[in-house]
Each structure stands twice: as structure tokens, then as C-alpha cells.
């Protein structure tokens, strides 16, 4: 059993797609082990995306991620990291497959509806960045 970290980004929250995203995860067999709705500070968003600090889109990305509330989740399930990436689809919604969350709910490559950890190591870092140990409840 694996854990991964997911964010429903500000555009998807603003469009009232929280329920649709969560329903999809549950339908695909992922369980929610932790969840909170919050509004990221600039500092928190910068720290989260620190690996992209030198990329040209960094400032814009941080601006977007702090423009409205987000939903932070820990998802649990078999092969959770890869399963979540498949459900999300490609970073750029123009390249995302039909039926993926990004194809359905993204507005642009930046406002692409969801984040999902890209490896088990990232998942561990990202979960610990946003959640205390006692906030994450094993479901399996
Ligand atoms: P994420 O980390 O959000 O799950 O997305 P990802 O792995 O598919 O994409 P990544 O390369 O890690 O980029 C992180 C986020 O930065 C924004 N982005 N903007 N303007 C651009 O060219 C550009 N490229 C990436 C997206 O919001 C992407 O999810
Ligand atoms: Mg990434």
C-alpha cells in the first residue's frame, strides 16, 4: 500500500469541482487518509515548489497557487503515486488524455486543476510539509 499527496488547485476549487475530483479518486480505489481546505501563503507555496525556483514560471505559479483556497489531501491505495498521476493526466491539459482530471477541469498548463506527487520520495516530503503525523489516518 502506498501514500501520495494531492492538491486540488485554486481553479478547480473556484469552479466547484472539489466533489468531482474526490469522487473520481474514490471511484478508482484511492482512499482519503487526510484532507484540509486552506489558503496557501506565498512562503508556503514557494517552499512547496522549491525545486522549480529557477524556472521562468515560478513566480506566476506561486501567484496562481495563492490566489484562492486549495484542498490538500493524502491519498492511500495500491500503487497510489502512479495511479494518481494516471488519473490526473499530462501537465499540459492540451496533451492530457480524454477523461483525465486535467482534461476535464484544467484551464491552462498553469491552472491545471490538480497536483500529484511524482514519486514515493516526493510524496513523503510533500505529506510531511503539509500534515502533522497525527493528522494522517491509515485507512487500509
Ligand atoms: P504537479 O507538480 O503540479 O503535479 O505537476 P507536474 O508534476 O505535472 O508538473 P511540474 O513540471 O512539476 O510543474 C509544476 C506545476 O507548475 C505549473 N507549470 N507551469 N507555464 C508553464 O510552462 C508551466 N509548466 C508547469 C503547473 O501548474 C504544474 O503543475
Ligand atoms: Mg511536479
Amino acid at each position: 500500500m502506498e501514500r501520495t499527496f494531492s492538491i486540488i488547485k485554486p481553479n478547480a476549487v473556484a469552479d466547484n469541482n472539489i466533489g468531482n475530483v474526490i469522487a473520481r479518486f474514490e471511484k478508482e480505489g484511492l482512499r482519503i487518509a487526510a484532507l484540509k481546505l486552506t489558503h496557501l501563503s506565498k512562503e508556503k507555496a514557494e517552499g512547496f515548489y522549491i525545486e522549480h525556483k529557477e524556472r521562468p514560471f515560478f513566480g506566476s505559479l506561486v501567484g496562481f497557487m495563492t490566489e484562492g483556497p486549495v484542498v490538500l489531501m493524502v491519498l492511500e491505495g495500491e500503487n497510489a503515486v502512479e495511479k494518481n498521476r494516471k488519473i490526473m493526466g499530462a501537465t499540459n491539459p492540451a496533451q492530457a488524455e480524454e477523461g483525465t482530471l486535467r482534461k476535464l477541469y484544467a484551464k491552462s498548463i498553469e491552472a491545471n486543476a490538480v497536483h500529484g506527487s511524482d514519486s514515493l520520495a516526493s510524496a513523503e516530503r510533500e505529506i510531511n510539509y503539509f500534515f502533522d503525523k497525527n493528522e494522517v489516518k491509515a485507512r487500509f
Side-chain angles (χ1 to χ4, degrees):
M1 210 52 61
E2 275 180 19
R3 279 182 179 167
T4 191
F5 175 70
S6 168
I7 302 179
I8 306 178
K9 294 186 179 184
N11 72 294
V13 173
D15 291 340
N16 267 359
N17 282 318
I18 295 174
N20 287 326
V21 172
I22 290 176
R24 180 63 176 280
F25 289 145
E26 292 192 320
K27 190 171 143 238
E28 304 264 1
L30 292 169
R31 289 180 195 246
I32 294 166
L35 179 152
K36 53 188 156 193
L37 184 139
T38 186
H39 196 137
L40 299 182
S41 66
K42 185 167 178 272
E43 293 68 34
K44 199 76 184 171
E46 284 173 348
F48 179 67
Y49 280 122
I50 197 72
E51 65 179 317
H52 295 313
K53 198 167 163 310
E54 306 303 330
R55 308 278 285 275
F57 59 78
F58 181 73
S60 175
L61 175 61
V62 168
F64 161 64
M65 289 300 288
T66 56
E67 77 182 22
V70 294
V71 176
L72 311 175
M73 289 179 287
V74 177
L75 305 176
E76 217 174 50
E78 222 168 282
N79 210 15
V81 170
E82 201 191 313
K83 184 180 261 186
N84 181 37
R85 298 285 292 190
K86 268 216 178 92
I87 295 168
M88 293 193 312
T91 307
N92 184 347
Q95 282 149 24
E97 275 182 50
E98 283 307 320
T100 60
L101 293 176
R102 282 167 167 167
K103 185 71 175 191
L104 290 166
Y105 306 127
K107 277 209 190 71
S108 65
I109 188 167
E110 178 173 88
N112 60 359
V114 282
H115 161 83
S117 311
D118 58 14
S119 67
L120 269 181
S122 308
E124 167 123 356
R125 177 188 87 85
E126 293 171 359
I127 290 167
N128 290 326
Y129 187 74
F130 285 113
F131 289 96
D132 292 335
K133 287 266 179 279
N134 66 1
E135 291 181 304
V136 185
K137 299 296 174 196
R139 299 279 309 281
F140 281 99

